[in-house]
Each structure stands twice: as structure tokens, then as C-alpha cells.
């Protein structure tokens, strides 16, 4: 079977059982791999309404059909499970090298069920796998733990996806980190790993997968390497990383600032990607087979010195610890980032939790007594960094913030309006009041507000180049919430979701402004890798299948149409900046929800109709 | 603009006006051309609830985006208008050379409105067009008329699409014929042409269209010519024509016989494609750029001598005049075919009307008095041939049969159950009781029961090779009417409809068993011809757009969900043959209608929801 190993590794930690199962090509073609095939197993194997930290809840690591082909963007993998943050569908993708390494090790997916008696890590090497004792590394931060594992396995280049102390302590937004800087960040799946006493999944693979059409893959690689340097946004991304978005968003009035009260930040220059390049940047880094190298490696300056091993902050991190907390110090932001990577916590949720706490503090809901004398006002860099540690170690107020803003706000009376989340998941760094597509994306993402869902890039709404194969022939005003926007959103929602089903990086492909590959290239890569004759139609249908499966999973967990909403704040005007006064119309938003349901073939309560499930070949899940 | 001329020729016959209008590339990409772009104009320009024969009703000749590329299957064109047979959306495609010739003349579409005072014909030659007097050829049969027009224009190879005396006399299923043997057969659009006093549209073009990627087109042509000879069904089609279907259908018990009372015919051998090859076949003929040459040229034997200029009977014709009327004489069938081509009448509706009359006669509803002493029993070859002429000349009972079986059955008490039609259009030669996909196709075709809609080929249900890019991963039992069948039907309905939007022959492409091209080739051809970067997703969306437009048009004309049905007979058991007893379950059929509506995003009355129209970019037609 070209490109795919056709094998899933199944672990039951309670029983200390390891099994290898075959995956048929039929199943792979229908569910593609990545998010989608993992969803198939999740729907079949997860006990509805069970505890996210209970043994029933499987945690699935999954690669895409073409993960590992020697092309930029095909490095990623998905982790899926029940999210302790939302109580429903939990999903997180990461780049780096781990995904390709798993493919090379002879497996496409790893499914982990049960709970281990003692801490363990999973060691997968060249078609083989074993559980190893992790008692001595339990409690270690990620760098020390990774070093210990590499030493223990004797493979200095083993790729290690692991949790830090935050995951062990069940911080509800703990993440899984690989190579100390690539994160399956969102949904709290690191805490699920912690609950299973699984410290790490370490992988080494030397099997080069076979691809059906090597020449075509070489041709595409050549095409990409010749073209990306002539595509200014890609070159800019290479130079300044994702934090290059800070300045244009700030100028646009859509840089999340002061816990989303404001849309621009007076000190944006100081935290920009350009500033980073001029000050603390020491190196750039990339994912498997990608020449763009958009990852940063930084060395923070005193008093916020950092270790370059932990990389550097992405845009989401810069905004979450920077403008959202009104912190203007890139080194402080970098240290917060490092702490998150070392303890294993999602930087977005962590930054949001701290901004939430800051707003509580500014409004007297939290006092110095609550904060262990930390002066938690907006802009206090030192307090912000300290709070990261307090959360990771569940110290003082950090213990409650570690539960996420939804649970925290249930304790602190009057703070609900500062707790910005959808379905329990904190809001990423994109302001919906200036881009209504983002509003829809937050509301409809099955895993809660997520920066990896649908389009949040303004150029999408100005330029349809490269989108036409998706059937989009018209631009839509960025502030519209009419049916034409819902339609644009639906298509991009399916498209971005497809990229997760294939575990492809969203930056390398149009319609992202940085994208070099065209939409149709994705189909060509899949066909060259597998020998299939797939089409964009078949792939988009598979994506729709996955979206409906994630919807079904949430419904089974008790989610309703009332969960497809936005925090109150976004229905209220932005306080300042170029878009002061902008807000989402509640009435228009409610209409757009109804239209979206109809367009998806869901009933008025947002439940997929039987006809839709039959249409997508999902009758076994009715 | 590659491949397309970007021009529509508009004629107003009442005002004797000719205008040339530009078509933007944006419109061409959204509506593709062919059936779909013509539908766009029809929806905009047709007066709802107007007389099909009134001046409001435009008649549109339309070519596909890639019509005329030098590849097999890309020869076709669509004619659209209000059908005098159904009172709603009227559509008919034809092969031959006319479509490519129109492209070469510098136009993509010709729209004819108004009614001429005197008979005229339209002469289009190399970017120019004029109306010419047709008084002297009015009343002539097609062969004589075509000769006169070629002489009048001085172009012996002008391609002439014209009507015969049946169209002039407004026979409701009159057709448009080109090269005396290729027919825009169904929907009675020849009568619309007659009502306009437009005898012919003659075309000569010497402009070779430019194509973006000539090398790719050459490569595909080479691929086809190397591959079709290794594909046995294509070779068989070449040898025996479409009538090669007679024997397998007969063996299967699904050869329409005795006005659909029976599913097999004792004399099937005598009317088979194989028998034709052994007896009356004198030559084969093909469409533009196609090596398969599935068209027949025959010379009927006394007493049914025929003129080879009129070609020979297709499968539909053989079954309609043969098994359906229980006529076992290929020469008689060929003469009936010739009369239809000479008078300009659809062979399917004509054969059905005669079979209907025969059943009335056998049951005493018609007597010798009604038939001008013609002994109109099943199997009487001579009477069958005579009836063709009586209908074409509207003589005696032929005058009423010329109105179609629906109107005729309103006059002859007790004959409704013998009048087999959907939406007023007579049933083609495929037995739905043995292939439920055909039942759905008949019910949902916007232009009434039509042999050019969706799949009626049993292999589709056994073999999914080449269908997977359409998102189909499972075979479905041919007798099922469950949701999985509705889903398969929906996809194939969209696919076949797409082939009409592109005016591509359904035989050369999979999933047709004869098909040589793969599904994805269609996209490659469109892209090579135009320089677009379209995808199967974009093309299937365009097809869905067209299906919804034809639905909207019918709704505007007063059609309701009650028109999506089947003749009573198909809910009753087949009387004999291998499938004796087979019937469509009324209850299952009713369920499948509901499911289909839901899958299409239509409400419970079959009306497209606003969300669906927005989704397809059709808000201007709300």
C-alpha cells in the first residue's frame, strides 16, 4: 500500500497490551487518515459521557495519508481525544518531525486506551513498540524528560512527543510537545496523556515509505523550491515568522488587546516579528522538508533570559502574552512561551487565562489576597510570567486558572463576562469584530474556538486567486454576515478541515496569503503518494464526513445549538483603535447560524439529518 | 479567452434583429456553457407561464466550454427552451459536427426569441450571421431542406440543424436534426423552432479556437486512441452500435416490451445490434473527433426500403419501434427511424405514442374507425410505420397522438394507464423495475423522463472503478431504493448533468461501461482548453447549480412535488420474462423522494431552500 503503512498500533495501558491492527485501503480512502480516520476510531471506541480523564477515553495519534512525503507542509499529525476543556471533541495538530517519523516507523496511527498503573512512555521503533517505565522522568520538564528518553533509547534523534508537569497535574489546557517547540497545543490533550500516566510517545523510523509516483513528487518539490522565493508573503514569513502579523493586525484594529477590550496595542511595534528579528532572534527553524522555516529560536534578555532549546514565540503566543495582557516585552513573552513549552501548556489558553485574571483584578473581583500579592494588572510583565508558573504548578490562584476560564469564572462571581471562550476553550488571537468569518469559525468549530479552523486571514476576502477550484467566484465583504459570507465560510471551513484530515500545514497552500501550493496541488500530492485517482470533490466530501463526525461526537456528549455561540463581549463594541465601535450583530449572527445549519444539511437544532449521514456514508453512526 | 469565443448571438425574429453580446469569462466559469449557461439565460429571459409557442419563449443553442477540442466526446451541443410536451424546462443534446462548427464560427451560444412573419433560416458563417428567407424550403423534409440550404449558402459542408414538417406542424415531440441523423431529440424543441418559423440554423466556421495547453490535448488524444481499442465495451460499441444493448437487456428481463407490460421480447435477436450488423448495416459513422463511430448507417430491405442518408436506428429507436411495439423487423424499424429523421420527430416519444395507441386498440379503446382502418395491434410493422407518417402529418388519429400521450389520454377515456410519461414526456427505453436508479432518474429529471439523465447502465451498480473520484466507495444493489441508492443516484445525477453542462458525450467517459476516459480526465480537458485551474469540486458545484436552476424554472411554471413521480404501471408487477413480478414499491419510492429532497437541500415540497440558492450563488433568482 503506497504512502500508507496500513497499520494502527493499539495500546491498552491498563492491561499493558500492545496490538497491531491492519487498516484497509478502503477505510483509508474513505477517511483519509489524520483527523478524519482518528475520528472514525474515536466515535467507535469512546464511551459517551465518560470522564475525559477516565480509562474509557482513547487518545489517538494520527498521521495523514501523505504525511512524510518530501514536500513542504506534509509534516503534521493530529492528536484526538475527549477534551477536558470542552468536554467534547478534542483535537490538536502539530508540525515538526514526529509525524513523518511515525510514518517511517511503520505505523499510521497510535491509539492509546486505559490508564497505566505507573508512569510509562511508549517507544516505537522500526515496526516495533514497547512500553517503558517512566517513573524516573515523571515530574521532569520537557527538556530534561526528552534528554532522558533519548538516552534511555539510545537514539539521540528519536522524536519525542511528550508532556511536562502541567499535563501530569491535569492542567485542562496542557499540551503535547515535540522537539520542545512544536505543540499539539489546544484542547488539553496533554492532560489526557497525563491522566493515563503516559509521559511520552518516542518514535524512531528508518523505513522510507514507497510512493507511487516519485517523479511527480520530485517535480512538485522542485516547483515549490523555485516558486516560494518569488512569493513575497512566503519570504516575509520566512524572515519574520508568524509574528509578522502583529503590525498589520494592529494597524487594522484587530490585534486582540487587553483581553479583547481593545483592537490595537500602543506597544505593538515592540512585540512584532520585525522587532523579534532585530533583537532576540538567534536562529530560524522549520518542519520536516520545509524551506520556509517560519519557526523562531530566540534568546530572551535579562531579566527574562530564555533557553533557545525551547524555540521562540509564534504570533498566537506573542499576542496572548503580549497585547492581550498589554505586555510590551518580547523577552517576557519568550519566557512565558518557554515555560509553557517546558511545563507543557497551551500558550493561547494560558495567555487568555492570565488576561482574564488581569481583568478580574483590575475590576476588583480578584485582589492581592487572591493573587499571593502579585500585582496582576494589565501590562505587568513580571506578574504575567509568574502566573504562567503558578498555573503550571497549580499554585494559589493558578490552581483554579488551570481549570480554564469557564470553570474559573463559575467561582469568581461577576467575572463571567471576562471569561472569553467558546465551548469552554479560550479564544485565539483573532478579533471576530473585524472579520466575521472568524466569528463563524469560533462558533462552529467542534473543538471550541480554535486558530486552526477555517479562514482568519483578511486577504481571503479580498483575493480569490487560488480559491476558484473550491467553487468560490466572488469576494465577500469582511464585515458581512449575510448568506454569501456563510457560504464562503462553509467552503473554507471544509477546506481547512480537509487540510487537517490530510495533516497538511495551512501556511503552504492557498488560499492562505503565505500559500505557495495551489488548491489542486493537494490532490496531485495525494495521488502521487498513493496511486489513487482522487479528486477535490472526493476530498471535500471526506472533509464534510469528518465535520459531521465531530458534530455527532459532540451531540453524543450533550452539546446543543446553544453551544454554537460567541462570548458576550463580541456582541459589544470594540472600545478603541481603528475599529472602535465594531461589534457583531446578535440578530445577524443568529440568522447566520440558521443558514449554516441548513447549508450543512443539519436540522434547526444543528443535528445532522439522517439524509446527510446517509449521503456521507455514515449510516453506521446513526 | 481560450477555448471560448465569449460571444452569444442574439436573434429577435419578430424584430428581425441580430445582436452580438459578450459573455464574460466570470460568467463562463460559473455557468460553464452548455446546458448550464443556457439555463442562466433562459431563467432571466423566459416569461413565466407563457405559451411554449409564444414569442416570449427563447430557444437557445449552446455549446460547452470545451466543445470542439479535438477529442472524442467533445462534439455536443444543447438546445433549451420551454417544452411544449411538459410545459416546463425543455432540454435536448445532440452530437455530430454542428456544435464544433458553431464554436469555429466564433460563437458559443445562439439565442432565438420572437416569431418570424415568414419562414426563415439563420445562416452563421465566420463571425457573421444573417436571417435568410426560407419560404421555398418550408414544408420540405430534412434532406431536401438541407440540400437547398447548402446550395443557397454555397457551402456544401455547412452544418445544418433544422426541423422537418413535424416541427412546422407543431408536433409536440418534434426534434431538431443535424446532418440528417443527429437529433436534439427530446422535449419537442423542434416544435418551438417551428412556432418561430425558423426552419434551420446553418453554420460554417473556419476559426480554429485557441487552447491553452495544446500539448496536453494532444497527449489526451493519443492516450484515448491507444486505450479505447483495449477496452472491450468500446470496441463492441464500435462494432454493434448502441443497439448492442438489446440482447443483454432482454436476457436481463429489462427490455421494454409491449408498452412496458413485459420485460423481454421473443424476437429480441432479430432486432439486436448484432443482427443489424449482419443484415442491413452498410456503414458506421461517428461524431466530430471520435474514432468509436457508434452511429449506424443502414439500408432497409423491401418492403421497408430506406435511404442511408438518414443513418440508422439507435438502441432507443430500435426498442421504441421494436420491442415496445412488438415489431420484429429491423427494416421496418429503420424506416420508422428514417421517417422520424425526415419529418423531424423524436423516435422515443413517437414509438411510445404508437405503443400507447396499440395498447388502446388491443383493449378496445381505439377501434378500426379511429385508426382509419389500420389494424393497430402490437407487432404490426406496417401499421407502426404508417402511424409514424400519420403523426408527422397530423392525419386522423395521428393528429391527437402528435400531442403526446398525456394529452391524448385525456381524450380517450380509460387510456390513462397506458399513457406512460413523466411530466408529460414519454418514457425512454429503460425499465425502472429492474434498476431502481432509473426510477429515480425518471422522477427527478427536470425535463421529464429522459434517457440522457443519470445512470441507467447496470454495470454502474456492480463496478465502482472510475467512480471513486466522485466520492462513491460502495456498490449498491440495483433493486434497492434505500438511502444508499438515493445517494448513489444523487452523485451520478450530478455527474451526468455535468456532462450536459459541458456538452460531453456520456459514452466516452466512466462510469459508463463503454467509457474510456476517467472521471478526472474531464477536468484535465477543461483546464487544458481554457487555462483554468478548475477541479471536480468546482465542476460538480456548477452541475448542482444547473440542477437547481432547472428546478426553479419548473417551479415557476407551476410544477410541484406531485410531478416527481412515475407512471402507475411501474408500481405494478412486470408481467413476464426473467423479472416477472418485479415492481417499484410505492412506499419505498415515496420515502426515497423525501430523502432525495433533503439531500438536495430542498424543502419537503421539493423547493430549493434559500440557503441552497445562496450556497450555489443563485441569489439573483430567488
Amino acid at each position: 500500500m503506497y504512502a500508507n503503512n496500513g497499520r494502527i498500533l493499539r495500546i491498552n495501558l491498563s492491561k499493558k497490551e500492545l496490538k497491531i491492527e491492519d487498516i484497509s485501503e478502503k477505510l483509508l480512502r474513505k477517511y483519509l487518515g489524520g483527523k478524519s480516520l482518528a475520528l472514525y476510531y474515536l466515535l467507535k471506541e469512546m464511551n459517551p459521557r465518560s470522564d475525559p480523564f477516565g480509562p474509557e477515553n482513547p487518545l489517538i495519534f494520527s498521521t495523514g495519508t501523505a504525511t512524510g512525503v518530501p514536500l513542504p507542509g506534509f509534516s503534521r499529525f493530529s492528536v484526538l481525544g475527549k477534551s477536558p476543556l470542552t468536554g467534547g471533541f478534542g483535537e490538536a495538530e502539530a508540525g515538526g518531525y514526529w509525524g513523518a517519523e511515525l510514518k517511517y516507523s511503520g505505523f499510521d496511527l497510535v491509539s492509546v486506551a486505559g490508564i497505566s498503573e505507573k508512569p510509562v512512555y511508549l517507544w516505537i521503533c522500526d515496526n516495533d513498540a514497547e512500553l517503558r517505565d517512566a517513573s524516573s522522568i515523571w515530574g521532569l520538564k520537557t527538556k530534561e524528560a526528552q534528554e532522558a528518553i533519548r538516552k534511555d533509547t539510545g537514539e539521540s534523534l528519536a522524536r519525542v512527543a511528550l508532556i511536562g508537569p502541567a499535563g501530569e497535574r491535569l492542567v485542562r489546557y496542557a499540551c503535547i510537545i515535540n522537539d520542545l517547540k512544536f505543540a499539539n497545543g489546544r484542547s488539553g490533550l496533554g492532560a489526557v496523556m497525563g491522566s493515563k500516566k503516559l509521559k511520552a510517545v518516542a518514535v524512531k523510523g528508518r523505513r522510507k515509505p514507497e510512493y507511487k509516483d516519485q517523479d511527480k513528487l520530485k517535480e512538485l518539490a522542485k516547483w515549490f523550491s523555485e516558486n516560494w522565493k518569488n512569493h513575497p508573503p512566503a519570504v516575509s514569513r520566512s524572515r519574520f515568522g508568524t509574528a509578522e502579523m502583529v503590525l498589520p493586525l494592529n494597524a487594522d484594529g484587530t490585534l486582540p488587546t487587553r483581553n479583547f477590550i481593545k483592537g490595537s496595542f500602543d506597544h505593538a511595534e515592540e512585540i512584532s516579528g520585525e522587532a523579534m528579528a532585530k533583537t532576540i532572534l538567534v536562529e530560524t527553524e522549520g518542519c520536516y522538508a520545509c524551506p520556509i522555516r517560519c519557526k523562531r529560536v530566540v534568546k530572551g534578555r535579562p531579566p527574562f533570559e530564555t533557553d533557545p532549546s525551547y524555540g521562540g514565540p509564534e504570533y498566537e503566543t506573542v499576542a496572548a502574552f503580549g497585547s492581550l495582557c498589554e505586555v510590551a516585552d518580547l523577552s517576557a513573552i519568550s519566557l512565558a512561551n518557554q515555560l509553557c513549552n517546558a511545563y507543557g501548556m497551551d500558550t493561547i489558553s494560558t495567555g487568555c487565562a492570565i488576561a482574564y485574571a488581569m481583568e478580574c483584578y483590575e475590576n476588583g473581583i480578584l485582589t492581592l489576597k487572591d493573587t499571593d500579592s502579585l500585582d496582576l494588572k494589565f501590562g505587568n510583565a513580571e506578574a504575567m510570567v509568574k502566573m504562567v508558573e503558578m498555573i503550571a504548578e497549580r499554585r494559589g490562584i493558578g490552581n483554579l486558572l488551570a481549570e480554564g476560564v469557564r470553570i474559573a469564572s463559575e467561582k469568581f462571581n461577576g467575572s463571567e463576562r471576562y471569561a472569553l471562550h467558546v465551548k469552554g476553550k479560550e479564544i485565539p488571537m483573532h478579533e471576530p469584530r473585524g472579520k466575521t468569518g472568524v466569528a463563524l469559525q469560533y462558533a462552529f468549530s467542534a473543538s471550541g474556538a480554535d486558530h486552526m479552523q477555517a479562514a482568519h486571514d483578511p486577504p481571503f476576502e479580498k483575493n480569490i486567486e487560488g480559491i476558484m477550484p473550491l467553487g468560490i467566484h466572488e469576494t465577500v465583504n469582511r464585515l458581512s454576515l449575510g448568506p454569501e459570507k456563510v457560504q464562503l465560510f462553509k467552503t473554507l471551513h471544509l477546506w481547512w478541515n480537509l487540510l487537517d484530515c490530510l495533516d497538511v500545514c495551512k501556511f503552504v497552500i492557498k488560499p492562505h496569503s503565505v500559500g505557495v501550493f495551489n488548491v489542486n496541488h493537494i490532490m496531485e500530492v495525494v495521488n502521487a503518494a498513493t496511486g489513487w485517482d482522487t479528486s477535490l470533490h472526493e476530498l471535500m466530501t471526506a472533509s464534510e464526513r469528518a465535520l459531521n463526525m465531530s458534530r455527532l461526537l459532540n451531540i453524543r456528549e450533550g452539546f446543543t445549538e446553544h453551544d454554537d455561540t460567541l462570548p458576550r463581549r463580541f456582541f459589544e463594541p470594540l472600545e478603541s483603535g481603528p475599529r472602535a465601535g465594531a461589534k457583531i450583530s446578535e440578530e445577524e449572527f443568529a440568522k447566520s447560524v440558521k443558514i449554516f445549519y441548513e447549508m450543512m444539511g443539519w436540522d434547526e437544532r444543528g443535528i445532522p439529518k439522517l439524509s446527510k449521514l446517509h449521503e456521507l456514508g455514515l449510516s453506521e453512526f446513526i
Side-chain angles (χ1 to χ4, degrees), chain A:
Chain A
M1 199 185 306
Y2 289 104
N4 297 297
N5 299 293
R7 298 203 306 172
I8 175 169
L9 173 63
R10 289 184 173 282
I11 316 290
N12 188 308
L13 292 171
S14 305
K15 301 182 187 164
K16 299 190 177 83
E17 244 176 34
L18 285 82
K19 274 196 297 195
I20 295 169
E21 253 176 39
D22 288 341
I23 312 169
S24 70
E25 185 151 14
K26 190 175 163 190
L27 206 66
L28 276 163
R29 184 147 179 180
K30 181 169 179 183
Y31 294 103
L32 289 182
K35 169 183 182 168
S36 185
L37 185 57
L39 251 166
Y40 168 79
Y41 288 116
L42 206 59
L43 265 178
K44 283 178 93 83
E45 294 163 21
M46 205 173 107
N47 270 337
R49 315 247 176 166
S50 60
D51 180 3
F53 297 139
E56 303 85 357
N57 190 12
L59 187 71
I60 304 177
F61 297 73
S62 181
T63 58
T65 291
T67 298
V69 300
L71 285 173
F74 287 81
S75 65
R76 294 171 73 80
F77 68 104
S78 301
V79 181
L80 269 71
K82 184 165 187 178
S83 168
L85 204 51
T86 72
F89 172 59
E91 166 191 18
E93 277 75 33
Y97 297 80
W98 194 94
E101 199 79 30
L102 183 69
K103 276 278 188 192
Y104 288 12
S105 82
F107 300 99
D108 303 302
L109 281 84
V110 180
S111 175
V112 183
I115 290 182
S116 179
E117 209 178 318
K118 287 188 296 184
V120 289
Y121 76 90
L122 175 61
W123 171 230
I124 301 171
C125 183
D126 293 335
N127 289 312
D128 216 345
E130 61 177 308
L131 288 169
R132 289 192 172 192
D133 181 51
S135 303
S136 63
I137 56 171
W138 196 252
L140 295 185
K141 290 183 187 152
T142 53
K143 185 175 178 180
E144 289 73 29
Q146 177 172 286
E147 276 168 11
I149 287 168
R150 284 182 172 165
K151 208 172 148 194
D152 190 44
T153 59
E155 290 284 354
S156 62
L157 275 175
R159 301 296 174 181
V160 187
L162 80 174
I163 59 169
E168 298 173 15
R169 292 188 185 110
L170 309 185
V171 171
R172 281 187 191 268
Y173 40 86
C175 68
I176 303 165
I177 290 273
N178 72 83
D179 276 336
L180 307 187
K181 49 182 99 59
F182 304 98
N184 301 89
R186 312 230 59 203
S187 303
L189 299 172
V192 175
M193 218 164 139
S195 76
K196 296 191 172 311
K197 296 269 192 303
L198 179 66
K199 181 71 178 178
V201 182
V203 190
K204 183 70 205 169
R206 293 173 186 88
R207 168 196 165 274
K208 182 89 181 152
E210 283 177 69
Y211 303 119
K212 177 70 176 184
D213 188 347
Q214 298 273 9
D215 293 343
K216 180 74 188 175
L217 294 176
K218 274 181 203 156
E219 181 197 305
L220 285 164
K222 187 159 169 271
W223 184 92
F224 192 96
S225 76
E226 280 166 6
N227 278 273
W228 82 268
K229 289 201 168 162
N230 298 318
H231 185 50
V235 175
S236 174
R237 180 59 47 101
S238 182
R239 285 181 66 196
F240 301 118
T242 50
E244 65 164 346
M245 296 195 298
V246 168
L247 289 180
L249 289 178
N250 190 59
D252 184 54
T254 49
L255 180 69
T257 303
R258 204 177 170 90
N259 202 28
F260 284 98
I261 292 170
K262 300 160 70 184
S264 59
F265 180 40
D266 292 343
H267 300 279
E269 294 265 2
E270 295 158 51
I271 63 167
S272 65
E274 291 81 347
M276 201 188 302
K278 272 189 235 149
T279 56
I280 57 173
L281 187 73
V282 294
E283 212 185 324
T284 64
E285 192 156 346
C287 296
Y288 169 81
C290 184
I292 295 182
R293 298 177 67 83
C294 71
K295 297 288 286 183
R296 307 289 94 176
V297 178
V298 302
K299 190 162 171 41
R301 294 172 180 179
F304 302 109
E305 282 167 286
T306 63
D307 173 359
S309 318
Y310 285 108
E314 299 281 352
Y315 162 75
E316 299 287 336
T317 310
V318 163
F321 292 125
S323 55
L324 202 74
C325 295
E326 296 196 315
V327 167
D329 187 319
L330 261 183
S331 290
I333 291 166
S334 299
L335 183 52
N337 178 62
Q338 172 176 321
L339 290 168
C340 281
N341 288 357
Y343 282 99
M345 289 199 302
D346 174 34
T347 59
I348 298 172
S349 283
T350 306
C352 280
I354 295 171
Y356 155 79
M358 284 175 163
E359 194 172 358
C360 288
Y361 182 81
E362 299 256 1
N363 287 283
I365 292 173
L366 292 180
T367 64
L368 284 170
K369 215 179 99 199
D370 301 302
T371 64
D372 290 349
S373 303
L374 217 54
D375 182 22
L376 206 56
K377 64 184 181 217
F378 282 111
N380 186 341
E382 204 181 341
M384 182 273 285
V385 170
K386 285 233 166 91
M387 274 308 305
V388 177
E389 264 177 333
M390 286 172 71
I391 293 170
E393 295 177 352
R394 281 187 173 273
R395 269 194 285 118
I397 195 185
N399 190 33
L400 193 53
L401 293 177
E403 301 290 298
V405 300
R406 178 167 64 178
I407 292 176
S409 72
E410 288 162 9
K411 305 281 172 178
F412 299 130
N413 269 340
S415 75
E416 290 82 357
R417 57 188 307 258
Y418 315 141
L420 303 190
H421 68 86
V422 176
K423 298 183 176 70
K425 192 156 149 193
E426 289 76 13
I427 305 288
M429 297 302 112
H430 304 272
E431 174 53 73
R433 284 167 290 189
K435 290 169 277 183
T436 49
V438 171
L440 299 174
Q441 157 203 347
Y442 287 170
F444 295 124
S445 160
S447 73
D450 199 294
H451 63 303
M452 299 309 286
Q453 297 293 312
H456 45 71
D457 192 45
F460 295 165
E461 284 159 0
K462 292 188 210 139
N463 180 1
I464 57 164
E465 201 207 319
I467 313 189
M468 290 182 83
L470 294 172
I472 297 171
H473 297 149
E474 300 277 353
T475 57
V476 180
N477 184 294
R478 59 190 280 179
L479 297 179
S480 156
L481 257 178
E484 65 292 345
K485 172 57 70 65
V486 181
Q487 165 52 18
L488 178 67
F489 166 75
K490 181 192 159 183
T491 304
L492 292 173
H493 191 41
L494 284 167
W495 171 243
W496 278 50
N497 186 64
L498 172 60
L499 297 180
D500 285 337
C501 295
L502 294 166
D503 279 316
V504 174
C505 170
K506 278 136 189 170
F507 291 153
V508 298
I509 292 187
K510 286 172 184 148
H512 200 290
S513 57
V514 173
V516 178
F517 280 134
N518 296 311
V519 161
N520 279 339
H521 279 130
I522 196 97
M523 174 192 72
E524 292 176 20
V525 173
V526 172
N527 285 338
T530 58
W532 297 344
D533 58 347
T534 194
S535 69
L536 195 58
H537 175 79
E538 185 181 1
L539 294 174
M540 290 289 273
T541 304
S543 172
E544 193 182 356
R545 191 175 291 127
L547 277 186
N548 277 273
M549 288 162 77
S550 60
R551 187 90 188 163
L552 286 183
L553 194 146
N554 274 350
I555 290 167
R556 219 163 66 169
E557 296 300 327
F559 285 65
T560 72
E561 69 272 32
H562 304 299
D563 296 297
D564 297 336
T565 187
L566 293 174
R568 191 73 240 141
R569 176 152 288 168
F570 298 133
F571 298 120
E572 293 163 358
L574 260 171
E575 277 194 12
S576 64
R579 292 193 180 267
K583 61 173 184 171
I584 303 287
S585 152
E586 217 164 343
E587 196 188 345
E588 282 179 31
F589 178 79
K591 272 191 214 161
S592 70
V593 171
K594 295 291 169 208
I595 292 168
F596 180 71
Y597 287 174
E598 268 196 21
M599 284 184 183
M600 290 300 289
W602 300 347
D603 70 14
E604 60 288 347
R605 288 159 56 217
I607 300 171
K609 293 186 186 178
L610 293 187
S611 54
K612 177 54 74 179
L613 299 179
H614 282 298
E615 199 182 327
L616 296 168
L618 293 175
S619 44
E620 67 177 301
F621 297 114
I622 288 173

